[in-house]
Amino acid sequence: KDIRRPHFTRTDWNKLVRHSRNWINSTGHPSVTRDRTLLWNYTLILANTGIRVGEARTLCWKDIRIEPNNRELDAVVVFSVSGKTGGRKVVARNAEVLEYLQRIKELYAEPTPDDFVFAHRDGRPIGSFKKSFSALLDHAGVTFDNEGFRRTIYSLRHTYATFRLTEGVTVHTLARNMGTSVAMIERFYGQTRTPDQ
């Protein structure tokens, strides 16, 4: 029997969101504030796209485009990512991702299309947000899920999948957007059909 992968329930996700601003502002050091701001927007983007950590690491500004949406007022944000399953187009869950991207862009002095989105000040891609993400979860009191499993950055991908399924997205659409198989979606998230309680 497969164990459901650690993700955030809506209650814990909302708790994380509430504590994030205090965590960012709790340091008096500008460089730490900048790093925490980058991490938080990284967190929001992964939770709203389902992209893998490795895919985010190599993401450049030229890999993001905005497309008009004829059915709704909001634009559609599309990421071109490349990872362990090859290249694919990822449609962001909502247009709020544009705001997260803009906040990241403001941390750099005029980034070029070839610059990495998640980068150190010298332009090198950030290898891992593991320690700072763990510190954020500890601060918010959401390090462990209801089963006692420790959450990791990869939990953001699982949260994305869980939230999308509860919102009525089909397993086929979700599998295509996440770059995985329908069988994997059904294996790990097949029980997710109604909103979290």
Side-chain angles (χ1 to χ4, degrees), residues 74-169:
D74 290 335
V76 175
V77 186
V78 180
F79 292 71
S80 295
V81 299
S82 181
K84 70 176 189 177
T85 58
R88 75 180 190 286
K89 306 293 185 200
V90 176
V91 178
R93 182 172 170 236
N94 54 46
E96 290 175 13
V97 168
L98 284 175
E99 180 183 335
Y100 313 147
L101 290 166
Q102 183 57 40
R103 292 196 300 237
I104 291 172
K105 194 169 278 191
E106 290 169 0
L107 299 174
Y108 302 96
E110 300 182 24
T112 70
D114 290 317
D115 287 337
F116 293 104
V117 175
F118 306 109
H120 296 284
R121 284 185 193 82
D122 62 6
R124 290 178 300 114
I126 294 175
S128 173
F129 284 96
K130 184 177 179 179
K131 286 184 179 178
S132 52
F133 185 72
S134 179
L136 171 59
L137 298 190
D138 287 345
H139 178 84
V142 293
T143 301
F144 299 95
D145 68 9
N146 293 336
E147 303 296 321
F149 291 103
R150 179 179 292 275
R151 292 178 172 122
T152 66
I153 290 175
Y154 220 79
S155 299
L156 299 171
R157 181 169 162 85
H158 307 315
T159 300
Y160 168 82
T162 302
F163 285 5
R164 294 302 277 152
L165 287 169
T166 61
E167 292 163 359
V169 173

Side-chain angles (χ1 to χ4, degrees), residues 7-140:
H7 69 289
F8 291 91
T9 61
R10 291 188 187 275
T11 299
D12 280 354
W13 177 255
N14 291 338
K15 187 176 180 183
L16 181 63
V17 170
R18 284 195 311 272
H19 283 81
S20 63
R21 184 176 298 277
N22 175 264
W23 180 72
I24 291 170
N25 296 326
S26 65
T27 175
H29 201 287
S31 65
V32 176
T33 301
R34 182 243 183 226
D35 291 346
R36 289 182 177 186
T37 299
L38 179 60
L39 166 76
W40 178 238
N41 287 284
Y42 168 88
T43 299
L44 291 170
I45 289 169
L46 265 62
N48 282 281
T49 61
I51 63 175
R52 296 178 176 91
V53 171
E55 294 168 342
R57 188 178 298 123
T58 59
L59 188 70
C60 294
W61 290 105
K62 66 183 178 185
D63 299 324
I64 303 167
R65 72 177 192 274
I66 302 164
E67 297 181 351
N69 186 348
N70 295 330
R71 293 173 293 161
E72 299 175 14
L73 296 176
D74 290 335
V76 175
V77 186
V78 180
F79 292 71
S80 295
V81 299
S82 181
K84 70 176 189 177
T85 58
R88 75 180 190 286
K89 306 293 185 200
V90 176
V91 178
R93 182 172 170 236
N94 54 46
E96 290 175 13
V97 168
L98 284 175
E99 180 183 335
Y100 313 147
L101 290 166
Q102 183 57 40
R103 292 196 300 237
I104 291 172
K105 194 169 278 191
E106 290 169 0
L107 299 174
Y108 302 96
E110 300 182 24
T112 70
D114 290 317
D115 287 337
F116 293 104
V117 175
F118 306 109
H120 296 284
R121 284 185 193 82
D122 62 6
R124 290 178 300 114
I126 294 175
S128 173
F129 284 96
K130 184 177 179 179
K131 286 184 179 178
S132 52
F133 185 72
S134 179
L136 171 59
L137 298 190
D138 287 345
H139 178 84

